[in-house]
Amino acid sequence: MARYSKIKNILKSRNLRITDGRVDVLEFFFRKGKTLSIKEIQEELKDSDRVTLYRILNAFTENGVLHKIPDDSGQVTFGLCHDTCDAEDHNHDHMHFKCLDCGTIECLEQQVPEVSIPGYQVKEANLILKGLCKSCAA
Amino acid sequence: MARYSKIKNILKSRNLRITDGRVDVLEFFFRKGKTLSIKEIQEELKDSDRVTLYRILNAFTENGVLHKIPDDSGQVTFGLCHDTCDAEDHNHDHMHFKCLDCGTIECLEQQVPEVSIPGYQVKEANLILKGLCKSCAA
DNA sequence: GTTTATGTACAACAATGTTGCAAAAATGCA
DNA sequence: TGCATTTTTGCAACATTGTTGTACATAAAC
Ligand SMILES: [Mn+2]
Ligand SMILES: [Mn+2]
Ligand SMILES: [Zn+2]
Ligand SMILES: [Zn+2]
């Protein structure tokens, strides 16, 4: 499927209107094929309004288009959600990897191992690995 | 050991000078016995300078007194490090739990399970669980 | 094409974090 | 204790990041 059609479908399936800004943001995610920080998106889409960009990213996060990736740097990073995510049910059960050399944050295919803590009710688990990514370790 | 002596020892062992502000921050951590956000610390130490507080927290983080806990909320949270941490070697290999009800973030005793990813060099792993904490689940 | 719900642009604000620097305090030593 | 040295603080100013209100523009539905 052509990329633009794919993007339109994603937006439609989440009941989000197809607007230039939203298409541009999603197109950038597909083109780069990696997680992106707000700063990177802003640098790419220089002439778009900052407030609008925040609202787009919030809408995407609330509706299962993107997911936020926790990171102690404070810099928020976003990754594309799986097709199965929607407003009610995000599935962020995969691991993330942050490269200490190039700074890239990747979504990994591997699932986070199940953990149970006596007395606690675990609903979600985020595992962030740090080290050297495939390219930087080679 | 008295709390103030303990605090002095921590600072001395990290080659940090013993100042009122630093003692107050550490005393607050020991008194609460839990992780604290910058906001909580600011609210407790109302008349301390904001810049100084940031510098204290940075010094503590760099020298193995506190560790930052990743969280997709963007709110930075700090927890006390183990005695064994120093500037060269932080050990943050325990899991964290964020309660979706009361918002508290706890350091858990449990270690993060070892993970290896082919081609990657994993140096550090952070696992953040979300759900209901012991008090809120009961 | 007209209507209506939704999204955008702009301005203004709020919160969060950083830098430079002079004054103050902590440490080490005579 | 008194003094020199080094580190830390307090303040002002700035930078970055994120939010809110609102009039206008646009997408979707009819
Ligand atoms: Mn991901
Ligand atoms: Mn911890
Ligand atoms: Zn890398
Ligand atoms: Zn709780």
Side-chain angles (χ1 to χ4, degrees):
Chain A
M1 198 196 308
R3 184 173 289 169
Y4 180 55
S5 299
K6 195 159 121 190
I7 289 172
K8 279 198 295 185
N9 282 343
I10 290 175
L11 292 173
K12 272 184 195 156
S13 71
R14 269 71 168 196
N15 288 312
L16 294 170
R17 291 192 173 178
I18 297 158
T19 67
D20 293 359
R22 287 173 176 171
V23 172
D24 286 349
V25 169
L26 273 186
E27 197 278 331
F28 188 43
F29 269 94
F30 281 112
R31 178 151 43 88
K32 300 299 281 188
K34 66 179 200 78
T35 67
L36 296 169
S37 67
I38 293 188
K39 187 176 281 184
E40 287 174 295
I41 302 168
Q42 276 179 324
E43 277 164 11
E44 173 72 13
L45 308 172
K46 282 188 192 65
D47 43 352
S48 73
D49 185 67
R50 209 164 50 89
V51 177
T52 301
L53 181 54
Y54 275 104
R55 290 203 255 233
I56 289 174
L57 293 173
N58 283 342
F60 283 1
T61 304
E62 280 163 15
N63 292 281
V65 179
L66 297 177
H67 59 282
K68 282 191 184 181
I69 302 163
D71 174 11
D72 54 14
S73 84
Q75 272 257 56
V76 182
T77 305
F78 293 88
L80 277 170
C81 284
H82 295 137
D83 299 344
T84 53
C85 280
D86 61 27
E88 280 74 43
D89 186 34
H90 273 272
N91 283 309
H92 306 155
D93 45 10
H94 59 279
M95 307 193 293
H96 292 108
F97 190 92
K98 176 170 186 173
C99 181
L100 296 170
D101 193 30
C102 68
T104 304
I105 298 179
E106 291 175 61
C107 295
L108 301 175
E109 285 306 313
Q110 283 92 335
Q111 300 271 310
V112 176
E114 286 273 330
V115 187
S116 75
I117 314 289
Y120 291 69
Q121 197 175 316
V122 180
K123 293 190 175 166
E124 200 184 316
N126 281 293
L127 179 54
I128 304 104
L129 305 174
K130 294 188 192 174
L132 296 180
C133 75
K134 220 166 194 167
S135 339
C136 294
Chain B
M1 197 197 304
R3 183 174 289 168
Y4 180 54
S5 299
K6 195 158 120 190
I7 289 173
K8 279 199 295 186
N9 282 341
I10 290 175
L11 292 173
K12 272 185 195 156
S13 71
R14 268 71 167 198
N15 287 312
L16 294 170
R17 292 191 173 179
I18 296 157
T19 67
D20 293 358
R22 288 174 176 171
V23 172
D24 285 349
V25 170
L26 273 186
E27 196 277 329
F28 188 43
F29 270 93
F30 282 113
R31 178 151 42 87
K32 300 299 281 190
K34 68 180 199 77
T35 68
L36 296 169
S37 67
I38 294 189
K39 186 176 278 182
E40 287 174 295
I41 302 169
Q42 276 179 326
E43 278 164 11
E44 172 73 13
L45 308 171
K46 282 188 194 63
D47 43 353
S48 73
D49 184 66
R50 210 165 50 90
V51 176
T52 301
L53 182 55
Y54 276 105
R55 290 202 259 232
I56 288 174
L57 293 173
N58 283 342
F60 283 0
T61 305
E62 279 163 15
N63 291 282
V65 179
L66 297 178
H67 59 283
K68 282 191 186 182
I69 302 164
D71 174 12
D72 55 13
S73 85
Q75 273 259 52
V76 181
T77 304
F78 293 89
L80 278 168
C81 285
H82 295 137
D83 299 344
T84 54
C85 281
D86 61 28
E88 280 74 44
D89 184 33
H90 273 273
N91 284 306
H92 305 155
D93 45 8
H94 58 282
M95 309 193 291
H96 292 109
F97 190 93
K98 176 168 184 173
C99 181
L100 296 170
D101 193 30
C102 68
T104 303
I105 297 179
E106 292 175 60
C107 296
L108 300 174
E109 285 307 312
Q110 283 93 334
Q111 300 271 309
V112 176
E114 286 273 330
V115 186
S116 76
I117 315 289
Y120 291 69
Q121 196 176 316
V122 180
K123 292 189 175 167
E124 200 185 314
N126 281 294
L127 179 54
I128 304 104
L129 305 174
K130 293 189 194 174
L132 298 180
C133 74
K134 220 165 195 168
S135 339
C136 293

